[in-house]
Amino acid sequence: MLIDGTASSAEPESGLLTEARSLLPDVVALRRRIHRLPEVGTYLPRTQRAVVEALDGLGLAVTLGRRLSSVVAVLDTGRPGRTLLLRADMDALPQQENTGLDYASEVPGVMHACGHDAHAAMLVGAARLLSARRDRLEGRVVFMFQPAEETAGGALPMIEEGLLTPADGTAVDAAFALHINARNETCTVHVRPGTQYAAADLVRITVRGRSGHAAGPHRVLDPVPVACEIVQALQTMITRTVGIFEPAVLTITTIRAGRAFNVIPETAELTGTYRTLSEATRRTVREGIARVAEGVAAAHGMTVGVELPEGYPAVQNDPAFTALVRRAAAAALGPSHVHELPHPTMGGEDFSYVLQRVPGAMVFLGACPPGSVPGTVPDNHSDRVLYDERALAAGVALHCAVAEDFLREGGSDGGEDAEEEAEEGERGATAGVAPTDDSG
């Protein structure tokens, strides 16, 4: 087993993993450097500088983003072949860290609580390892270091700046990403063909009433109870309009109204999010939110403004490419470390924009802290989340294994034999803990 940092005789350690382990001190050091100085959004100058410095000397063609602090580095073997994109996000979250780590965030109110510091460090490690092994490769590898996954969505601007046709214009053929998860057993990989992440859309409802004295609510139009009624009605709408086998989550997370205890406010604002797995359900929920909010407000003689900005679309893993990833992960880490996700997560991820344009997959990498029971520790987006840094070597090896297999096999065309081989390797393995809502 690899969980304790060693390999059993039943699963001998792969050469890739051995080489990745040799890079672990540098990968951990980079991760901690980024962790100490986290940045939010599209502008990440310190993080961008750390990545560029770590890539120096590898012989990669490096391009910096124009609209955001992105980094695109291309490994060109000089031999014809396919092009694979490997992606890592780099941005942090606007929350105060409470982990107690000696390398905790030095920036008040900002923290790497979703593992993006680890993602960036692992991808730099993969760039180093693949550069050292370039004589074994054909084609190209594109390393995508992305800002703003948690906020504005950095993937789409990067695509618009030419991410999928880098350097000489050769188009990217497929894409791969991994996401670290503290609740899963260390060094385990969790894969799923088809839908992995939900579409993540936004809700903003403004109830417009008429302000007045709190002692005379009958003389005004109080938007506060109407806003509360809308929240309850929206939950009923979900259960009564969306089929039980078509998952949908609608959560109102903020209610803002008034500033004084004795003044009925003019407006009350609700914000939240809804998550769906299909475009049909997405449309049903969207239409239902507007209908319910307008109807409840009208019943009380008020009006509403309903804004429903579209967020990230659902992440759809290509089944054939997912089979290739499963096979590569089993070879690199051992078959018992590869598990099938039982269901999608309702989190959101803007890697979906990449997968709308090229086939590929995203997987979860377990990194449960040493001595902890998987499934019981603080999750991603917690101010106390911790990761087992030994898992970073597994992430480096997995990036490299997927790249080498894809370039060697000529694309995601493993077919039925590849599927059967991957399923055979999974027999007897436990399903682990399905990752929860760990992103956008």
Side-chain angles (χ1 to χ4, degrees), residues 4 23 76 96 103 109-110 159-160 202-203 216 241 273 286-287 304 334 337-338 358 389 411 414 426 439:
D4 61 359
L23 298 176
D76 191 338
Q96 184 66 37
Y103 56 90
V110 183
I159 292 170
E160 292 168 351
L202 309 180
V203 179
T241 62
T273 181
R286 182 182 181 87
E287 293 170 352
V304 292
H337 289 72
V338 184
V358 298
E389 291 182 319
E426 290 169 3
S439 194

Side-chain angles (χ1 to χ4, degrees), residues 34 38-44 47 87-94 110-117 119-120 146-154 312 350:
I34 295 172
E39 298 170 297
V40 175
T42 60
Y43 185 60
L44 318 177
T47 308
R87 178 265 204 167
D89 38 15
M90 304 188 295
D91 57 320
L93 284 159
V110 183
M111 174 195 178
H112 271 290
C114 201
H116 296 186
D117 51 341
H119 297 171
Q146 177 203 317
E149 188 279 326
E150 298 286 2
T151 53
Y312 304 155
D350 75 339

Side-chain angles (χ1 to χ4, degrees), residues 265-332:
E266 188 83 9
T267 62
E269 183 185 75
L270 311 173
T271 65
T273 181
Y274 62 102
R275 310 294 174 100
T276 55
L277 299 181
S278 72
E279 283 301 315
T281 303
R282 193 181 191 187
R283 185 167 54 252
T284 296
V285 173
R286 182 182 181 87
E287 293 170 352
I289 291 170
R291 183 177 64 251
V292 166
E294 291 165 0
V296 171
H300 295 277
M302 300 185 204
T303 61
V304 292
V306 180
E307 300 172 66
L308 301 170
E310 286 194 358
Y312 304 155
V315 171
Q316 301 287 346
N317 287 342
D318 177 74
F321 190 90
T322 303
L324 181 147
V325 172
R326 186 188 293 114
R327 188 168 64 253

Side-chain angles (χ1 to χ4, degrees), residues 113-152:
C114 201
H116 296 186
D117 51 341
H119 297 171
M122 286 186 285
L123 191 57
V124 167
R128 290 184 178 180
L129 188 48
L130 287 170
S131 294
R133 297 164 66 95
R134 73 173 70 211
D135 289 344
R136 311 182 189 193
L137 306 176
E138 296 179 350
R140 299 164 189 80
V141 181
V142 177
F143 302 96
M144 172 189 181
F145 295 89
Q146 177 203 317
E149 188 279 326
E150 298 286 2
T151 53

Side-chain angles (χ1 to χ4, degrees), residues 24 42 57 61 63 69 113 139 164 173 208 236 257 276 296 314 335 420 425:
L24 187 57
T42 60
T63 303
S69 301
L164 301 180
D173 295 297
R208 302 187 183 97
T236 302
T276 55
V296 171
E420 291 173 1

Side-chain angles (χ1 to χ4, degrees), residues 57-388:
L58 299 183
L60 307 179
V62 176
T63 303
L64 305 184
R66 298 185 298 275
R67 294 161 52 190
L68 66 173
S69 301
S70 60
V71 180
V72 177
V74 180
L75 169 61
D76 191 338
T77 67
R79 291 176 288 278
R82 291 184 179 257
T83 300
L84 176 69
L85 181 145
L86 301 175
R87 178 265 204 167
D89 38 15
M90 304 188 295
D91 57 320
L93 284 159
Q95 65 188 91
Q96 184 66 37
E97 180 164 354
N98 289 301
T99 61
L101 294 169
D102 59 7
Y103 56 90
S105 171
E106 299 173 6
V107 182
V110 183
M111 174 195 178
H112 271 290
C114 201
H116 296 186
D117 51 341
H119 297 171
M122 286 186 285
L123 191 57
V124 167
R128 290 184 178 180
L129 188 48
L130 287 170
S131 294
R133 297 164 66 95
R134 73 173 70 211
D135 289 344
R136 311 182 189 193
L137 306 176
E138 296 179 350
R140 299 164 189 80
V141 181
V142 177
F143 302 96
M144 172 189 181
F145 295 89
Q146 177 203 317
E149 188 279 326
E150 298 286 2
T151 53
L156 203 53
M158 290 186 70
I159 292 170
E160 292 168 351
E161 289 189 357
L163 170 72
L164 301 180
T165 53
D168 61 356
T170 303
V172 167
D173 295 297
F176 173 71
L178 59 81
H179 202 300
I180 201 166
N181 188 278
R183 291 171 62 86
N184 286 101
E185 195 172 14
T186 293
C187 297
T188 56
V189 177
H190 299 256
V191 303
R192 176 183 174 81
T195 305
Q196 172 141 333
Y197 273 102
D201 297 309
L202 309 180
V203 179
R204 186 178 299 110
I205 299 170
T206 303
V207 184
R208 302 187 183 97
R210 187 169 65 245
S211 180
H213 201 291
H218 59 291
R219 292 191 293 270
V220 300
L221 293 175
D222 187 350
V224 175
V226 175
C228 295
E229 188 174 330
I230 289 173
V231 173
Q232 294 293 89
L234 288 175
Q235 301 309 311
T236 302
M237 181 273 292
I238 289 289
T239 65
R240 292 301 180 267
T241 62
V242 179
I244 191 171
F245 298 113
E246 290 290 335
V249 173
L250 170 56
T251 304
I252 299 301
T253 54
T254 71
I255 302 178
R256 298 184 180 91
R259 294 186 176 182
F261 79 96
N262 58 353
V263 177
I264 291 173
E266 188 83 9
T267 62
E269 183 185 75
L270 311 173
T271 65
T273 181
Y274 62 102
R275 310 294 174 100
T276 55
L277 299 181
S278 72
E279 283 301 315
T281 303
R282 193 181 191 187
R283 185 167 54 252
T284 296
V285 173
R286 182 182 181 87
E287 293 170 352
I289 291 170
R291 183 177 64 251
V292 166
E294 291 165 0
V296 171
H300 295 277
M302 300 185 204
T303 61
V304 292
V306 180
E307 300 172 66
L308 301 170
E310 286 194 358
Y312 304 155
V315 171
Q316 301 287 346
N317 287 342
D318 177 74
F321 190 90
T322 303
L324 181 147
V325 172
R326 186 188 293 114
R327 188 168 64 253
L333 307 180
S336 68
H337 289 72
V338 184
H339 309 295
E340 186 87 9
L341 277 174
H343 52 72
T345 173
M346 300 307 282
E349 242 290 352
D350 75 339
F351 190 58
S352 53
Y353 291 118
V354 176
L355 296 186
Q356 282 182 333
R357 292 158 173 82
V358 298
M362 169 175 271
V363 305
F364 292 108
L365 173 67
C368 185
S372 301
V373 178
T376 67
V377 299
D379 202 357
N380 293 348
H381 286 221
S382 166
D383 61 351
R384 291 179 171 83
V385 67
L386 299 170
Y387 303 101
D388 186 347

Side-chain angles (χ1 to χ4, degrees), residues 397-418:
L398 180 57
H399 275 304
C400 295
V402 171
E404 291 191 353
D405 280 11
F406 179 78
L407 297 181
R408 180 174 59 248
E409 296 185 13
S412 54
D413 56 357
E416 294 181 1
D417 291 342

